[in-house]
Amino acid sequence: MHVVVIGAGVIGVTTAYALRQYGCEVTVLERGSGVAQGASFANGGVISHGYAGPWAAPGVPMSLLRALFQRDVSLRVRPRFDPAFWRWLSRFVSECRLERFRVNRLRLHRLARYSLEQTQALVAHHAIDHERQPGLLVLFRTDKAVARNEPMRSVLADQGIAHRLLSAQECRAIEAALNEHTPLAGGLHLPDDETGNCAYFTRRVREIAQQQGVRFMFNTPVTALAIESGRLSAAITAQGSQRADALVMATSVEAGPMLAAAGIAVPLLAVKGCSATVPIARHELAPLTAVMDEEHKVVVTRMGNRLRIAGTGVIGDESPYVDQRGLRALLKVAHDWYPGAARYSQAQLWSGLRAMLPDGPPVLGETPVANLFVNLGHGASGWALACGSAQVVADIVTGRAPAIDLDGLTLDRFCRPATHQPRPALDAP
């Protein structure tokens, strides 16, 4: 069985690896010159299986309104004259209600918990080194921020996720280098979350998959999908057609127009993120664990001799340029907490587009086209969800039953799924 995977970010590469474990012949098509060149390249590196949640959350609509009148903010909207954009934003706002946030958070956590198991197994089996750092410390600048976080803590408690609400003094006991002049009301410690270098991880999984026989074709953008009698026959590229028994879309926002041309409407929207990677100047003043500023949604992570500062989001911005307003917000947050830790003037800048769905969870599995599958819309949680999503999709493509309940994780919530019989399972090599 020949399966084509479109996209060589962390989602596409882990999907190719999972398919290969089931004996599939796999070809990965990537428009860039290598793996992990989009959102997987220089993200914040947080593998948050516990704290991962939808951006559509209580309080976010008011934050977006305030952002219209503030200069340097980390999360904002870039309006545009596009009916699809306003439909997406309308649904996003409706999903910010507390009851919807709880539903979407539970769906994400179901996948994130499974993905943690898959990630740990993969890392252990192949001894993958990706600059791992254990733990995540979420900081609250005000008592109001602590109160706003209560719905998230309630969900964490309901799901049995290890966490502890800390006083300001307890936060400083964990992170002694925190700037004492920056207001701090408390924090939330998640010992089982972690950080690492997503690009390193993706490159290593690519090497393993390639050694096992997966073929990677770079500088090969897919321009269209050939559909015949309700089935996909090939992916059309500038270099010619790639015929396939099945195809998995595991790319970013460019998946939307291609799927739309096949009659499948998926409400993907670009959310631009940017990051700054800076050399550490004084290690004793740098963070020992990953720190997230909850008010600004910015994470500061130690990666070897560097700090990675990331977390901004501009909803609806598809331009390739670094977001200067977001960059200023990043550096301000890092300087607030760790003013002497790094050479901020030497920051290496990056921006990338995340494909996001309005309610938060990704879409996995079948589409109305019988042999066309999706692994899309992971937003800012791509690395945390990658290995679990890959395994789910590999199971579905090869006719196996996924190990987790997929309620709320499929295209069924946006359009009617395919009504065809699953193909027989393949024997693993």
Side-chain angles (χ1 to χ4, degrees):
M1 180 184 189
H2 180 215
V3 184
V4 166
V5 176
I6 303 179
V10 68
I11 302 297
V13 171
T14 53
T15 300
Y17 171 86
L19 286 164
R20 184 60 191 144
Q21 306 318 297
Y22 283 151
C24 296
E25 177 188 351
V26 184
T27 300
V28 179
L29 306 180
E30 166 58 40
R31 63 179 178 173
S33 59
V35 303
Q37 292 191 342
S40 303
F41 179 68
N43 55 37
V46 178
I47 318 172
S48 182
H49 301 96
Y51 202 67
W55 279 23
V60 171
M62 287 303 300
S63 296
L64 293 177
L65 283 175
R66 288 194 299 268
L68 296 174
F69 308 100
Q70 296 174 324
R71 179 174 174 81
D72 297 330
V73 292
S74 57
L75 179 62
R76 65 183 191 277
V77 175
R78 182 177 182 179
R80 61 193 198 203
F81 297 105
D82 178 0
F85 168 83
W86 293 106
R87 286 194 298 270
W88 189 99
L89 191 61
S90 175
R91 177 153 182 174
F92 176 84
V93 171
S94 73
E95 297 288 343
C96 290
R97 292 172 293 140
L98 179 58
E99 63 271 21
R100 292 303 306 161
F101 169 78
R102 286 184 175 275
V103 168
N104 293 324
R105 176 64 180 81
L106 287 169
R107 290 170 174 173
L108 272 171
H109 178 254
R110 188 191 326 136
L111 178 58
R113 182 171 53 189
Y114 178 60
S115 192
L116 171 61
E117 299 170 3
Q118 299 299 312
T119 305
Q120 289 178 335
L122 176 61
V123 168
H125 182 68
H126 294 289
I128 297 175
D129 179 11
H130 55 79
E131 297 186 321
R132 178 184 178 273
Q133 292 286 337
L136 175 65
L137 179 61
V138 182
L139 301 178
F140 307 113
R141 294 184 182 230
T142 65
D143 291 334
K144 288 184 178 180
V146 176
R148 286 196 299 268
N149 187 253
E150 194 281 330
M152 174 61 89
R153 298 196 300 276
S154 176
V155 172
L156 293 175
D158 290 344
Q159 296 170 347
I161 297 172
H163 69 285
R164 190 161 68 97
L165 185 64
L166 307 179
S167 66
Q169 183 177 1
E170 289 172 321
C171 290
R172 297 186 190 282
I174 293 175
E175 274 295 315
L178 287 172
N179 185 6
E180 62 182 11
H181 301 297
T182 298
L184 177 60
L188 184 68
H189 186 228
L190 295 104
D192 295 336
D193 281 0
E194 60 187 59
T195 59
N197 192 315
C198 184
Y200 283 12
F201 175 85
T202 307
R203 291 171 193 149
R204 181 66 184 118
V205 177
R206 177 259 175 119
E207 291 172 357
I208 296 165
Q210 196 165 29
Q211 290 167 2
Q212 295 179 349
V214 174
R215 183 168 64 131
F216 288 83
M217 296 179 63
F218 299 112
N219 301 305
T220 309
V222 176
T223 57
L225 304 176
I227 310 292
E228 300 174 0
S229 302
R231 292 182 63 85
L232 180 135
S233 60
I236 310 302
T237 77
Q239 287 77 25
S241 298
Q242 282 290 324
R243 302 195 67 83
D245 299 309
L247 184 143
V248 179
M249 295 288 295
T251 184
S252 187
V253 289
E254 62 267 24
M258 280 191 283
L259 290 171
I264 306 168
V266 184
L268 290 171
L269 190 69
V271 178
K272 177 189 281 188
C274 70
S275 72
T277 304
V278 297
I280 293 175
R282 296 181 61 183
H283 284 270
E284 72 276 16
L285 299 180
L288 297 176
T289 189
V291 169
M292 175 183 287
D293 186 308
E294 175 64 18
E295 178 179 341
H296 297 281
K297 305 296 184 185
V298 171
V299 64
V300 183
T301 306
R302 181 194 287 257
M303 293 186 179
N305 293 319
R306 312 172 307 283
L307 290 186
R308 173 71 51 76
I309 312 155
T312 64
V314 187
I315 298 173
D317 186 354
E318 297 185 6
S319 70
Y321 307 108
V322 172
D323 174 43
Q324 294 299 321
R325 288 176 63 186
L327 176 63
R328 288 194 294 268
L330 292 181
L331 295 178
K332 179 183 183 303
V333 169
H335 194 271
D336 282 351
W337 295 113
Y338 301 101
R343 301 182 181 92
Y344 295 112
S345 62
Q346 299 178 21
Q348 294 181 317
L349 312 179
W350 170 86
S351 68
L353 301 182
R354 311 177 183 107
M356 189 172 290
L357 292 155
D359 52 355
V363 287
L364 310 177
E366 295 179 320
T367 74
V369 176
N371 56 340
L372 174 60
F373 303 86
V374 291
N375 192 355
L376 299 169
H378 299 75
S381 300
W383 192 6
L385 304 177
C387 290
S389 298
Q391 188 59 52
V392 164
V393 171
D395 285 336
I396 294 172
V397 171
T398 58
R400 292 170 167 83
I404 62 170
D405 180 6
L406 296 185
D407 178 57
L409 298 174
T410 70
L411 270 178
D412 194 24
R413 67 188 199 265
F414 298 119
C415 65
R416 184 179 302 175
T419 55
H420 64 277
Q421 296 297 316
R423 60 181 52 82
L426 299 177
D427 292 330

